[in-house]
Every structure is written in C-alpha cells, then in structure tokens.
Amino acid sequence: MATQAGGCAGMCVDLTLFPLDTVKTRLQSPQGFYKAGGFRGIYAGVPSAAVGSFPNAAAFFVTYEYTKSLLGAGGPLAAVHAAPVAHMLAASLGEIVACLIRVPTEVIKQRTQASPSSTTYHTLLATLREEGVRGLYRGYGSTVLREIPFSLVQFPLWEYLKTLWSRRQGHTLYSWQAAVCGAFAGAVAAVVTTPLDVAKTRIMLAKVYKHTERTPPPLAATFKHCCQVTPPRQSEPIGPERISTVSAHGTKQAEVARGQQ
C-alpha cells in the first residue's frame, strides 16, 4: 500500500505542479530566466518527470515508513523523546534511496526545461553520448545534500505539528489537517534549503552551457559563484514557485502517511 499510495500521490503532484517547477528551474538557470525559455514550453521535460515520479515517491515512502517503524516500534528509538531522531534518520535514508531514481530523471528534466527547443529524448541521447551513464547522476551528491537537510526540517516538524494538533483537539487528525501540517512543514523546509537547491540545479545544468568542462563544479564552488555573480536576494530565488511546489509535496506526503495510519 505504501508503494502504491506514495507513487500515485507523487505522480499526481509532480505533473500538476510541473509548470511551477519549470519556472523555478529557469529562474535558477545561470543563463537567466528568459534565455532559458521564459514562459515558453512550460511542459518541456514532462516525460522525464512522469517516468520517474512514481518509482521515486514509492522508493522514498517505503524506505521512510519501514525505517521509522524499525527504529520506533520497539526499536532503539522507541522512547517518545527520541521520535524526532527516528523521523530524521528515516527521512534521510529515504532520500538517499529515492535519489538513485530521482537524480537521472531530474538531470534530463531540468536540462530540457532550460532548453525548451530540445526534447526529452534528444536531451537523454545527448547526455549519454557526451557523458555516458555517469552523466545521468550529475549532481547526485548535491541533491542528497539538499534533500537530507530538507527532510531533517520537514518531517520532524510535520510529525510534531500533527502530534500537537491531535493532542489539542483530543483525537486523531482528519486528512485535511494532516495535509495542512505537511504543507506548512514543506514551506519552512523550502525556505531553509533553497540556496542548496540553486546550487544543485546549476551543477545539473553545467554540461549544457560549459561543454569544455569534463567534471561538475563542486557544490561549495557553485554556491560561492551563485553569491558572487548575483545579489543575495537573487542568488536565492525562493519565490512562490518553490514554496508552492514543496508545500504541495508536503501535503502529498501528509495525505499518504495519513492513509497508512
């Protein structure tokens, strides 16, 4: 059930909010929003997202729920005060596993979004021809370094908000209440991790604009470059696009986990 629920929810949210994701990618692109396509072809790269969304979300939720139950239900972190630690560890492991699926689809998706004149298929062929299979995992480390802090903020906060609200009203939360908690937790995590998301996007897009480079720029160097070439407010384009997208993902996660309770 966790696999099917998480996969279906992930696919629905990813496809529904895909235009916002395209806008976010183009805002973070080093060549600038309008040169990256502006508002043209906002569904560029959607086949990659559609293919990877279901297995990515399913892999995360299976790993998260299994690890959480293993650590919490009679495990080493069964104590109430240790629950946030169990949630953090479970979310971190879930992200590491999910990124094995997410990163290849994210690389192709973002390169197509930043070059709307190309198709997903042509972008995939160009990546394999120029960089091989290894090129599909461009930015894996930076993605993990973004996703783990995101989960360390989102999931403990989400679980805490659910527990607090449930205690105050004296019964288990309704689905919409769990969804509100997830959306709020996702928005907070988005604000915290957006600088890392900018660096991750530019590492994934680096091959498109810098054909002479054989290796991706390090995360620290990329982040430093982002801060040097643009004013601070522009180097972290949080904006409504990223907050709306991740808030919806938080709602998705809340609904899925709610259905498993």
Side-chain angles (χ1 to χ4, degrees), residues 142 145 196 199 203 217-228:
S142 60
L145 288 176
L196 291 173
I203 287 174
L219 177 62
T222 302
F223 182 71
K224 181 179 179 180
H225 178 70
C226 291
C227 295
Q228 289 177 338

Side-chain angles (χ1 to χ4, degrees), residues 138-152:
R138 164 71 64 88
Y140 177 84
S142 60
T143 303
V144 171
L145 288 176
R146 181 204 65 174
E147 294 296 347
I148 288 181
F150 185 92
S151 295
L152 292 182

Side-chain angles (χ1 to χ4, degrees), residues 57-235:
F60 173 83
F61 280 108
V62 168
T63 306
Y64 175 75
E65 292 296 334
Y66 177 76
T67 305
K68 187 174 70 171
S69 62
L70 187 65
L71 295 175
L77 299 175
V80 176
H81 67 275
V85 178
H87 299 152
M88 288 180 180
L89 292 175
S92 298
L93 185 57
E95 293 294 359
I96 292 174
V97 173
C99 280
L100 294 173
I101 301 172
R102 179 183 307 152
V103 171
T105 60
E106 187 80 358
V107 168
I108 300 305
K109 182 197 73 174
Q110 291 199 323
R111 291 184 177 186
T112 307
Q113 286 174 327
S115 182
S117 60
S118 180
T119 65
T120 298
Y121 179 68
H122 289 150
T123 301
L124 174 61
L125 291 182
T127 300
L128 291 175
R129 182 176 60 253
E130 296 175 11
E131 302 176 73
V133 176
R134 186 177 179 180
L136 296 177
Y137 284 90
R138 164 71 64 88
Y140 177 84
S142 60
T143 303
V144 171
L145 288 176
R146 181 204 65 174
E147 294 296 347
I148 288 181
F150 185 92
S151 295
L152 292 182
V153 174
Q154 180 189 26
F155 280 87
L157 179 59
W158 173 45
E159 300 283 0
Y160 172 76
L161 292 174
K162 289 195 302 177
T163 301
L164 183 64
W165 199 345
S166 178
R167 286 177 180 174
R168 288 195 174 185
Q169 68 181 12
H171 60 80
T172 305
L173 297 184
Y174 298 111
S175 296
W176 70 267
Q177 292 173 320
V180 170
C181 293
F184 180 79
V188 172
V191 173
V192 173
T193 61
T194 289
L196 291 173
D197 187 65
V198 175
K200 184 270 303 181
T201 297
R202 296 195 176 184
I203 287 174
M204 288 184 171
L205 296 179
K207 187 63 179 178
V208 177
Y209 309 117
K210 300 179 181 181
H211 294 282
T212 60
E213 293 186 359
R214 303 305 301 173
T215 58
L219 177 62
T222 302
F223 182 71
K224 181 179 179 180
H225 178 70
C226 291
C227 295
Q228 289 177 338
V229 299
T230 55
R233 292 185 63 183
Q234 294 181 12
S235 66

